[in-house]
Short mmCIF file of all heavy atoms in Angstrom, two decimals:
data_model
loop_
_atom_site.label_atom_id
_atom_site.label_comp_id
_atom_site.label_asym_id
_atom_site.label_seq_id
_atom_site.Cartn_x
_atom_site.Cartn_y
_atom_site.Cartn_z
N PRO A 370 86.77 125.09 101.30
CA PRO A 370 87.73 125.52 102.33
C PRO A 370 89.22 125.51 101.85
O PRO A 370 90.06 126.21 102.41
CB PRO A 370 87.52 124.49 103.44
CG PRO A 370 86.15 123.99 103.27
CD PRO A 370 85.92 124.00 101.78
N ASP A 371 89.51 124.74 100.80
CA ASP A 371 90.90 124.63 100.39
C ASP A 371 91.19 125.43 99.14
O ASP A 371 92.21 125.28 98.52
CB ASP A 371 91.30 123.16 100.21
CG ASP A 371 90.22 122.36 99.53
OD1 ASP A 371 89.35 122.97 98.86
OD2 ASP A 371 90.25 121.10 99.61
N THR A 372 90.35 126.36 98.74
CA THR A 372 90.62 127.23 97.61
C THR A 372 90.97 128.63 98.09
O THR A 372 90.58 129.02 99.19
CB THR A 372 89.40 127.32 96.65
OG1 THR A 372 88.27 127.75 97.40
CG2 THR A 372 89.10 126.02 95.97
N LYS A 373 91.77 129.33 97.29
CA LYS A 373 92.16 130.70 97.60
C LYS A 373 91.16 131.69 97.05
O LYS A 373 90.60 131.45 95.97
CB LYS A 373 93.53 131.01 97.04
CG LYS A 373 94.67 130.21 97.74
CD LYS A 373 96.00 130.88 97.56
CE LYS A 373 96.54 130.82 96.17
NZ LYS A 373 97.25 129.58 95.84
N LYS A 374 91.00 132.81 97.71
CA LYS A 374 90.12 133.86 97.21
C LYS A 374 90.63 134.29 95.83
O LYS A 374 91.84 134.43 95.62
CB LYS A 374 90.16 135.02 98.18
CG LYS A 374 89.08 136.07 97.91
CD LYS A 374 88.89 137.05 99.06
CE LYS A 374 88.09 138.29 98.69
NZ LYS A 374 86.79 137.99 98.05
N GLY A 375 89.74 134.50 94.90
CA GLY A 375 90.15 134.88 93.56
C GLY A 375 90.27 133.67 92.60
O GLY A 375 90.03 133.82 91.41
N ASP A 376 90.62 132.54 93.19
CA ASP A 376 90.70 131.30 92.39
C ASP A 376 89.30 130.67 92.17
O ASP A 376 89.10 129.93 91.26
CB ASP A 376 91.52 130.21 93.11
CG ASP A 376 93.01 130.41 92.89
OD1 ASP A 376 93.39 131.28 92.11
OD2 ASP A 376 93.79 129.69 93.53
N ALA A 377 88.41 130.97 93.13
CA ALA A 377 87.16 130.20 93.17
C ALA A 377 85.99 131.10 93.57
O ALA A 377 86.21 132.16 94.21
CB ALA A 377 87.31 129.02 94.14
N PHE A 378 84.78 130.66 93.24
CA PHE A 378 83.61 131.52 93.40
C PHE A 378 82.50 130.80 94.16
O PHE A 378 82.37 129.56 94.02
CB PHE A 378 83.13 131.96 92.00
CG PHE A 378 84.26 132.66 91.29
CD1 PHE A 378 85.16 131.98 90.54
CD2 PHE A 378 84.47 134.02 91.51
CE1 PHE A 378 86.27 132.56 89.95
CE2 PHE A 378 85.54 134.65 90.91
CZ PHE A 378 86.44 133.95 90.13
N PRO A 379 81.74 131.53 94.94
CA PRO A 379 80.76 130.83 95.80
C PRO A 379 79.65 130.15 95.01
O PRO A 379 79.21 130.69 93.99
CB PRO A 379 80.20 131.97 96.65
CG PRO A 379 80.44 133.21 95.89
CD PRO A 379 81.70 133.00 95.12
N LEU A 380 79.27 129.00 95.49
CA LEU A 380 78.05 128.36 94.96
C LEU A 380 76.84 129.09 95.51
O LEU A 380 76.83 129.43 96.69
CB LEU A 380 78.02 126.89 95.31
CG LEU A 380 78.43 125.91 94.23
CD1 LEU A 380 79.87 126.15 93.88
CD2 LEU A 380 78.18 124.47 94.62
N GLY A 381 75.83 129.29 94.68
CA GLY A 381 74.63 129.99 95.13
C GLY A 381 74.67 131.49 94.87
O GLY A 381 73.71 132.20 95.12
N GLY A 382 75.81 131.99 94.36
CA GLY A 382 75.95 133.44 94.12
C GLY A 382 75.63 133.82 92.70
O GLY A 382 75.76 134.98 92.29
N GLY A 383 75.24 132.84 91.86
CA GLY A 383 74.91 133.13 90.49
C GLY A 383 76.06 132.74 89.56
O GLY A 383 76.85 131.84 89.89
N VAL A 384 76.14 133.39 88.40
CA VAL A 384 77.12 133.05 87.37
C VAL A 384 78.43 133.78 87.64
O VAL A 384 78.52 134.62 88.51
CB VAL A 384 76.60 133.44 85.97
CG1 VAL A 384 75.27 132.72 85.67
CG2 VAL A 384 76.47 134.95 85.81
N VAL A 385 79.44 133.42 86.88
CA VAL A 385 80.75 134.08 86.97
C VAL A 385 81.10 134.59 85.61
O VAL A 385 81.08 133.84 84.60
CB VAL A 385 81.83 133.10 87.46
CG1 VAL A 385 83.15 133.80 87.57
CG2 VAL A 385 81.46 132.51 88.84
N ILE A 386 81.35 135.91 85.50
CA ILE A 386 81.69 136.53 84.18
C ILE A 386 83.15 136.83 84.18
O ILE A 386 83.70 137.42 85.11
CB ILE A 386 80.80 137.79 83.96
CG1 ILE A 386 79.33 137.40 84.03
CG2 ILE A 386 81.17 138.42 82.62
CD1 ILE A 386 78.36 138.58 84.00
N SER A 387 83.82 136.37 83.11
CA SER A 387 85.31 136.47 83.05
C SER A 387 85.74 137.81 82.52
O SER A 387 85.28 138.29 81.48
CB SER A 387 85.80 135.36 82.19
OG SER A 387 87.17 135.55 81.91
N LEU A 388 86.67 138.45 83.24
CA LEU A 388 87.33 139.66 82.76
C LEU A 388 88.74 139.25 82.34
O LEU A 388 89.59 139.00 83.14
CB LEU A 388 87.43 140.72 83.88
CG LEU A 388 86.09 141.05 84.59
CD1 LEU A 388 86.36 142.12 85.66
CD2 LEU A 388 85.06 141.59 83.58
N SER A 389 88.91 139.16 81.06
CA SER A 389 90.18 138.63 80.53
C SER A 389 90.76 139.49 79.47
O SER A 389 90.02 140.30 78.83
CB SER A 389 89.90 137.21 80.01
OG SER A 389 91.03 136.79 79.23
N ALA A 390 92.08 139.36 79.27
CA ALA A 390 92.73 140.14 78.20
C ALA A 390 92.41 139.52 76.82
O ALA A 390 92.65 140.20 75.80
CB ALA A 390 94.24 140.17 78.42
N VAL A 391 91.91 138.31 76.78
CA VAL A 391 91.74 137.67 75.48
C VAL A 391 90.24 137.47 75.10
O VAL A 391 89.94 136.79 74.14
CB VAL A 391 92.46 136.28 75.45
CG1 VAL A 391 93.95 136.47 75.64
CG2 VAL A 391 91.91 135.31 76.41
N THR A 392 89.37 138.06 75.88
CA THR A 392 87.97 138.08 75.44
C THR A 392 87.58 139.52 75.17
O THR A 392 88.34 140.46 75.47
CB THR A 392 87.02 137.49 76.50
OG1 THR A 392 87.35 138.08 77.78
CG2 THR A 392 87.22 136.00 76.62
N ASP A 393 86.40 139.73 74.61
CA ASP A 393 85.97 141.07 74.21
C ASP A 393 85.42 141.85 75.36
O ASP A 393 84.45 141.53 75.96
CB ASP A 393 84.93 140.96 73.10
CG ASP A 393 84.66 142.31 72.47
OD1 ASP A 393 83.92 143.12 73.04
OD2 ASP A 393 85.24 142.55 71.37
N ARG A 394 86.16 142.95 75.77
CA ARG A 394 85.75 143.67 76.95
C ARG A 394 84.42 144.43 76.82
O ARG A 394 83.71 144.58 77.75
CB ARG A 394 86.87 144.61 77.38
CG ARG A 394 88.18 143.89 77.77
CD ARG A 394 87.93 142.82 78.85
NE ARG A 394 87.63 143.46 80.11
CZ ARG A 394 88.51 143.78 81.04
NH1 ARG A 394 89.78 143.54 80.83
NH2 ARG A 394 88.13 144.35 82.14
N ARG A 395 84.14 144.87 75.54
CA ARG A 395 82.87 145.58 75.36
C ARG A 395 81.71 144.61 75.49
O ARG A 395 80.73 144.88 76.20
CB ARG A 395 82.83 146.24 73.96
CG ARG A 395 83.67 147.49 73.86
CD ARG A 395 83.27 148.23 72.56
NE ARG A 395 83.24 147.30 71.40
CZ ARG A 395 82.26 147.27 70.50
NH1 ARG A 395 81.28 148.14 70.54
NH2 ARG A 395 82.27 146.42 69.50
N LEU A 396 81.85 143.46 74.88
CA LEU A 396 80.77 142.45 74.98
C LEU A 396 80.66 141.98 76.46
O LEU A 396 79.51 141.70 76.95
CB LEU A 396 81.07 141.26 74.05
CG LEU A 396 79.96 140.20 73.97
CD1 LEU A 396 78.63 140.82 73.45
CD2 LEU A 396 80.40 139.09 73.03
N THR A 397 81.77 141.89 77.12
CA THR A 397 81.77 141.45 78.51
C THR A 397 81.00 142.50 79.38
O THR A 397 80.15 142.18 80.19
CB THR A 397 83.21 141.29 79.03
OG1 THR A 397 83.82 140.29 78.24
CG2 THR A 397 83.23 140.86 80.51
N ALA A 398 81.37 143.80 79.13
CA ALA A 398 80.69 144.86 79.90
C ALA A 398 79.17 144.83 79.66
O ALA A 398 78.39 144.98 80.59
CB ALA A 398 81.27 146.23 79.52
N ARG A 399 78.76 144.56 78.42
CA ARG A 399 77.34 144.53 78.08
C ARG A 399 76.66 143.34 78.77
O ARG A 399 75.49 143.45 79.20
CB ARG A 399 77.14 144.43 76.57
CG ARG A 399 77.73 145.63 75.81
CD ARG A 399 76.93 146.92 76.14
NE ARG A 399 75.64 146.82 75.56
CZ ARG A 399 75.30 147.19 74.31
NH1 ARG A 399 76.25 147.72 73.55
NH2 ARG A 399 74.12 147.10 73.88
N THR A 400 77.38 142.25 78.89
CA THR A 400 76.83 141.04 79.54
C THR A 400 76.64 141.36 81.05
O THR A 400 75.65 140.94 81.63
CB THR A 400 77.73 139.86 79.30
OG1 THR A 400 77.96 139.72 77.87
CG2 THR A 400 77.11 138.58 79.79
N VAL A 401 77.65 142.04 81.62
CA VAL A 401 77.52 142.38 83.08
C VAL A 401 76.29 143.31 83.25
O VAL A 401 75.51 143.10 84.18
CB VAL A 401 78.81 143.08 83.53
CG1 VAL A 401 78.60 143.67 84.94
CG2 VAL A 401 79.98 142.11 83.55
N GLU A 402 76.16 144.29 82.38
CA GLU A 402 74.99 145.19 82.46
C GLU A 402 73.67 144.42 82.37
O GLU A 402 72.72 144.70 83.12
CB GLU A 402 75.01 146.22 81.32
CG GLU A 402 75.91 147.41 81.57
CD GLU A 402 76.10 148.19 80.26
OE1 GLU A 402 75.14 148.22 79.48
OE2 GLU A 402 77.21 148.73 80.10
N LEU A 403 73.65 143.44 81.46
CA LEU A 403 72.48 142.63 81.27
C LEU A 403 72.13 141.85 82.51
O LEU A 403 70.95 141.80 82.94
CB LEU A 403 72.72 141.66 80.11
CG LEU A 403 71.54 140.98 79.44
CD1 LEU A 403 70.55 142.00 78.93
CD2 LEU A 403 72.07 140.12 78.29
N ALA A 404 73.15 141.31 83.18
CA ALA A 404 72.94 140.59 84.41
C ALA A 404 72.33 141.51 85.49
O ALA A 404 71.38 141.15 86.20
CB ALA A 404 74.22 139.96 84.89
N LYS A 405 72.91 142.71 85.55
CA LYS A 405 72.41 143.71 86.53
C LYS A 405 70.94 144.05 86.28
O LYS A 405 70.11 144.04 87.14
CB LYS A 405 73.23 144.98 86.42
CG LYS A 405 74.40 145.04 87.37
CD LYS A 405 75.01 146.44 87.34
CE LYS A 405 76.49 146.34 87.57
NZ LYS A 405 77.26 147.48 87.12
N GLU A 406 70.67 144.36 84.99
CA GLU A 406 69.30 144.71 84.55
C GLU A 406 68.31 143.65 84.90
O GLU A 406 67.18 143.94 85.36
CB GLU A 406 69.33 144.81 83.02
CG GLU A 406 69.10 146.16 82.46
CD GLU A 406 69.27 146.09 80.92
OE1 GLU A 406 68.44 145.41 80.28
OE2 GLU A 406 70.23 146.72 80.45
N LYS A 407 68.68 142.40 84.71
CA LYS A 407 67.70 141.31 84.90
C LYS A 407 67.75 140.81 86.35
O LYS A 407 67.03 139.85 86.67
CB LYS A 407 68.06 140.13 83.96
CG LYS A 407 68.07 140.50 82.51
CD LYS A 407 66.65 140.55 81.99
CE LYS A 407 66.65 140.95 80.51
NZ LYS A 407 65.28 141.18 80.01
N GLY A 408 68.58 141.42 87.17
CA GLY A 408 68.68 140.98 88.56
C GLY A 408 69.24 139.59 88.75
O GLY A 408 68.83 138.83 89.65
N ILE A 409 70.17 139.24 87.85
CA ILE A 409 70.79 137.89 87.90
C ILE A 409 72.09 138.00 88.70
O ILE A 409 72.95 138.86 88.42
CB ILE A 409 71.08 137.40 86.49
CG1 ILE A 409 69.76 137.21 85.72
CG2 ILE A 409 71.86 136.06 86.55
CD1 ILE A 409 69.94 137.00 84.25
N GLY A 410 72.25 137.18 89.71
CA GLY A 410 73.43 137.20 90.52
C GLY A 410 74.70 136.85 89.75
O GLY A 410 74.66 135.95 88.90
N TYR A 411 75.79 137.54 89.97
CA TYR A 411 77.03 137.21 89.25
C TYR A 411 78.23 137.60 90.09
O TYR A 411 78.18 138.47 90.97
CB TYR A 411 77.10 137.91 87.90
CG TYR A 411 77.23 139.44 87.98
CD1 TYR A 411 78.49 140.06 87.94
CD2 TYR A 411 76.08 140.25 88.13
CE1 TYR A 411 78.58 141.42 88.05
CE2 TYR A 411 76.21 141.61 88.22
CZ TYR A 411 77.48 142.20 88.17
OH TYR A 411 77.59 143.60 88.31
N SER A 412 79.35 136.91 89.86
CA SER A 412 80.66 137.33 90.36
C SER A 412 81.49 137.61 89.15
O SER A 412 81.17 137.18 88.03
CB SER A 412 81.34 136.21 91.15
OG SER A 412 80.51 135.65 92.11
N ARG A 413 82.60 138.37 89.33
CA ARG A 413 83.49 138.59 88.21
C ARG A 413 84.82 137.90 88.51
O ARG A 413 85.37 137.98 89.60
CB ARG A 413 83.70 140.08 88.00
CG ARG A 413 82.40 140.74 87.55
CD ARG A 413 82.56 142.22 87.28
NE ARG A 413 83.06 142.92 88.45
CZ ARG A 413 83.53 144.18 88.42
NH1 ARG A 413 83.63 144.82 87.29
NH2 ARG A 413 83.94 144.75 89.52
N SER A 414 85.34 137.22 87.48
CA SER A 414 86.59 136.47 87.63
C SER A 414 87.63 137.17 86.82
O SER A 414 87.47 137.39 85.61
CB SER A 414 86.34 135.05 87.06
OG SER A 414 87.57 134.42 86.77
N VAL A 415 88.73 137.55 87.45
CA VAL A 415 89.79 138.28 86.78
C VAL A 415 90.81 137.29 86.22
O VAL A 415 91.45 136.60 87.06
CB VAL A 415 90.41 139.32 87.72
CG1 VAL A 415 91.53 140.10 86.96
CG2 VAL A 415 89.37 140.29 88.23
N GLU A 416 90.92 137.17 84.94
CA GLU A 416 91.77 136.14 84.36
C GLU A 416 92.68 136.76 83.32
O GLU A 416 92.41 136.67 82.04
CB GLU A 416 90.90 135.09 83.66
CG GLU A 416 89.98 134.37 84.66
CD GLU A 416 89.15 133.31 84.02
OE1 GLU A 416 88.27 133.62 83.19
OE2 GLU A 416 89.35 132.12 84.34
N PRO A 417 93.69 137.49 83.71
CA PRO A 417 94.52 138.28 82.78
C PRO A 417 95.19 137.42 81.69
O PRO A 417 95.37 137.87 80.57
CB PRO A 417 95.54 138.95 83.64
CG PRO A 417 95.52 138.26 84.96
CD PRO A 417 94.15 137.67 85.08
N THR A 418 95.49 136.16 81.99
CA THR A 418 96.30 135.38 81.05
C THR A 418 95.48 134.48 80.15
O THR A 418 96.06 133.79 79.31
CB THR A 418 97.30 134.49 81.81
OG1 THR A 418 96.58 133.69 82.72
CG2 THR A 418 98.33 135.34 82.55
N GLY A 419 94.20 134.54 80.23
CA GLY A 419 93.41 133.61 79.38
C GLY A 419 92.34 133.00 80.22
O GLY A 419 92.35 133.13 81.47
N THR A 420 91.37 132.32 79.60
CA THR A 420 90.21 131.89 80.36
C THR A 420 90.21 130.38 80.63
O THR A 420 89.34 129.89 81.37
CB THR A 420 88.92 132.21 79.62
OG1 THR A 420 88.87 131.43 78.42
CG2 THR A 420 88.89 133.70 79.26
N GLY A 421 91.10 129.62 80.06
CA GLY A 421 91.08 128.15 80.21
C GLY A 421 89.82 127.52 79.61
O GLY A 421 89.36 126.51 80.07
N THR A 422 89.26 128.24 78.64
CA THR A 422 88.03 127.68 77.98
C THR A 422 88.20 127.77 76.43
O THR A 422 89.21 128.29 75.98
CB THR A 422 86.77 128.52 78.33
OG1 THR A 422 86.89 129.82 77.70
CG2 THR A 422 86.65 128.72 79.83
N ASP A 423 87.21 127.29 75.74
CA ASP A 423 87.19 127.36 74.27
C ASP A 423 87.33 128.81 73.75
O ASP A 423 87.70 129.02 72.65
CB ASP A 423 85.88 126.79 73.76
CG ASP A 423 85.92 125.28 73.60
OD1 ASP A 423 87.04 124.72 73.61
OD2 ASP A 423 84.85 124.67 73.46
N ALA A 424 87.01 129.78 74.65
CA ALA A 424 87.02 131.19 74.20
C ALA A 424 88.41 131.62 73.71
O ALA A 424 88.54 132.50 72.86
CB ALA A 424 86.59 132.08 75.34
N ASN A 425 89.46 131.00 74.25
CA ASN A 425 90.80 131.32 73.82
C ASN A 425 90.89 131.15 72.29
O ASN A 425 91.59 131.88 71.58
CB ASN A 425 91.84 130.41 74.49
CG ASN A 425 91.93 130.64 75.97
OD1 ASN A 425 91.15 131.47 76.49
ND2 ASN A 425 92.83 129.97 76.65
N ALA A 426 90.19 130.13 71.78
CA ALA A 426 90.21 129.87 70.35
C ALA A 426 89.15 130.71 69.60
O ALA A 426 89.40 131.25 68.55
CB ALA A 426 89.99 128.40 70.10
N THR A 427 87.97 130.75 70.19
CA THR A 427 86.83 131.42 69.51
C THR A 427 87.18 132.80 69.10
O THR A 427 86.93 133.24 67.97
CB THR A 427 85.62 131.47 70.50
OG1 THR A 427 85.47 130.24 71.14
CG2 THR A 427 84.34 131.81 69.73
N GLN A 428 87.71 133.57 70.03
CA GLN A 428 88.02 134.95 69.79
C GLN A 428 88.90 135.15 68.58
O GLN A 428 88.78 136.19 67.84
CB GLN A 428 88.73 135.51 71.08
CG GLN A 428 89.23 136.93 71.04
CD GLN A 428 88.13 137.92 71.49
OE1 GLN A 428 87.04 137.53 71.92
NE2 GLN A 428 88.45 139.16 71.43
#
Side-chain angles (χ1 to χ4, degrees):
Chain A
D371 43 19
T372 55
K373 291 203 290 276
K374 192 166 165 53
D376 278 353
F378 302 89
L380 260 62
V384 302
V385 181
I386 302 172
S387 171
L388 307 180
S389 166
V391 299
T392 49
D393 191 280
R394 297 306 290 270
R395 284 194 313 135
L396 186 58
T397 301
R399 298 292 291 272
T400 308
V401 171
E402 277 168 34
L403 198 56
K405 267 190 212 158
E406 247 175 63
K407 302 281 179 189
I409 297 166
Y411 68 94
S412 309
R413 294 183 302 166
S414 161
V415 181
E416 300 181 293
T418 56
T420 67
T422 70
D423 275 345
N425 294 3
T427 317
Q428 177 89 2

